[in-house]
Amino acid sequence: MNITEFLTDLQARHDEAVVHADELRGHIEDLTGALAETEARLTELATARKVIAELAPTDDGGELDPPEPTTAYQAIMNAFNQHPDQAFRVRELHELLGMPTDDPAMNVTRSRLGRLTRQGFLTQPGRGPYQKRT
């Protein structure tokens, strides 16, 4: 095999790897979108269940189920409600809430903060910090 054939083969392998990487990026984007939609749906269902549990009477006058644990969205909003004038970066928010500060966990929170911003609960006064909308 001469150098020209070797370089041609190398370029073909490079092109295949680029196509494969693009396909994987597309899958990641699809999965990220699906995850965000599913988390949003879970939040909506948890909220609906909580409202129904509070409004629905039981035979003994008690609650239907024990109270649910705080969801991540509720914990985030509680932090912003307790500090309405303070802007938080993701790492600061994780430290305040006692959440892990590894990159994957913070990326999930970044996604949640983006959703809360799009829904109008939070604002982003600069690149990085998030603040409760006043």
Side-chain angles (χ1 to χ4, degrees):
M1 178 181 277
N2 66 30
I3 191 74
T4 305
E5 292 171 342
F6 180 73
L7 289 174
T8 302
D9 183 54
L10 189 60
Q11 183 63 44
R13 290 182 188 196
H14 176 267
D15 294 343
E16 288 174 10
V18 167
V19 169
H20 187 65
D22 288 341
E23 289 173 357
L24 291 174
R25 285 186 195 99
H27 291 307
I28 289 170
E29 288 177 15
D30 293 342
L31 290 172
T32 301
L35 176 61
E37 290 173 12
T38 302
E39 286 179 338
R41 182 70 177 143
L42 285 171
T43 301
E44 292 167 356
L45 291 170
T47 301
R49 179 183 169 110
K50 186 175 181 180
V51 168
I52 291 169
E54 289 174 359
L55 297 176
T58 60
D59 293 338
D60 62 359
E63 291 184 7
L64 290 174
D65 291 322
E68 293 182 25
T70 304
T71 67
Y73 283 101
Q74 291 169 332
I76 290 168
M77 285 309 300
N78 287 342
F80 281 102
N81 288 335
Q82 291 172 359
H83 308 280
D85 297 329
Q86 184 173 347
F88 290 103
R89 293 189 170 277
V90 177
R91 181 173 299 280
E92 295 165 348
L93 190 60
H94 270 240
E95 290 169 354
L96 177 71
L97 297 174
M99 297 169 71
T101 56
D102 58 299
D103 286 339
M106 292 196 318
N107 285 338
V108 170
T109 300
R110 232 175 244 108
S111 172
R112 289 180 175 141
L113 291 171
R115 181 172 183 265
L116 291 169
T117 300
R118 287 188 302 279
Q119 290 179 334
F121 294 107
L122 302 176
T123 61
Q124 196 170 9
R127 183 180 164 111
Y130 294 85
Q131 188 171 13
K132 183 174 181 188
R133 183 177 295 273
T134 55

